[in-house]
Amino acid sequence: ITTGVTLDPVTDIGKTLFVDATSLSGGTIVLPTAAAGRFFRVFVDKSSTTAININAASADYFYGGITVVSTTDDKTAVQTVTRATASGAVASNNQLTLDADSATTGGAEGSFLDLTCYDASGWFVSGNVITSNANPGSIAIINGQ
């Protein structure tokens, strides 16, 4: 993916997405409406120090756990959001942000996220994200649009 795109609920489901964040820089990937069992794997193939976003469809949310690892220091941080929290505050949990040098997100080459729908509203997120920031903390990859 090199430009902003809305993924198709028929032809794109189950795909592995290679994201060129350098070209997408500042752009957005919009997921189709959640439905139980839908799945995407997202790999960052080229990173950017300008944030990119992955947005859930209207009324959908993200929850799960993401680990962020620093390449410049021996530090890691984790963000976890429960399904109950995300479903109770959809507007605060409907976007994923990746930024290769951010202390709160990360998204350098080699980062990956698995997105799996639990039901007709929730995307379960798990993955490992890399940052060049020496001190990742207060992780906010899952956030609000």
Side-chain angles (χ1 to χ4, degrees):
I1 296 176
T2 58
T3 61
V5 65
T6 298
L7 299 175
D8 185 272
V10 175
T11 60
D12 290 329
I13 294 301
K15 286 188 175 179
T16 298
L17 309 173
F18 286 88
V19 177
D20 176 346
T22 302
S23 297
L24 183 59
S25 185
T28 301
I29 300 166
V30 180
L31 299 179
T33 302
R38 286 189 171 168
F39 173 82
F40 291 102
R41 174 165 275 172
V42 179
F43 287 113
V44 178
D45 185 47
K46 292 184 180 178
S47 62
S48 174
T49 57
T50 301
I52 65 165
N53 294 307
I54 301 171
N55 290 349
S58 178
D60 292 347
Y61 55 85
F62 296 108
Y63 69 100
I66 304 166
T67 302
V68 178
V69 179
S70 170
T71 60
T72 58
D73 204 346
D74 203 10
K75 296 186 179 179
T76 62
V78 177
Q79 179 185 22
T80 58
V81 177
T82 66
R83 186 162 49 99
T85 297
S87 65
V90 172
S92 297
N93 296 285
N94 59 3
Q95 178 170 262
L96 304 172
T97 300
L98 299 173
D99 184 346
D101 64 346
S102 172
T104 60
T105 61
E109 288 96 347
S111 298
F112 75 90
L113 298 171
D114 286 337
L115 312 173
T116 306
C117 285
Y118 170 79
D119 58 18
S121 298
W123 289 90
F124 178 81
V125 181
S126 64
N128 293 303
V129 178
I130 301 165
T131 183
S132 60
N133 191 288
N135 193 18
S138 300
I139 304 304
I141 293 170
I142 299 174
N143 59 75
Q145 295 178 31

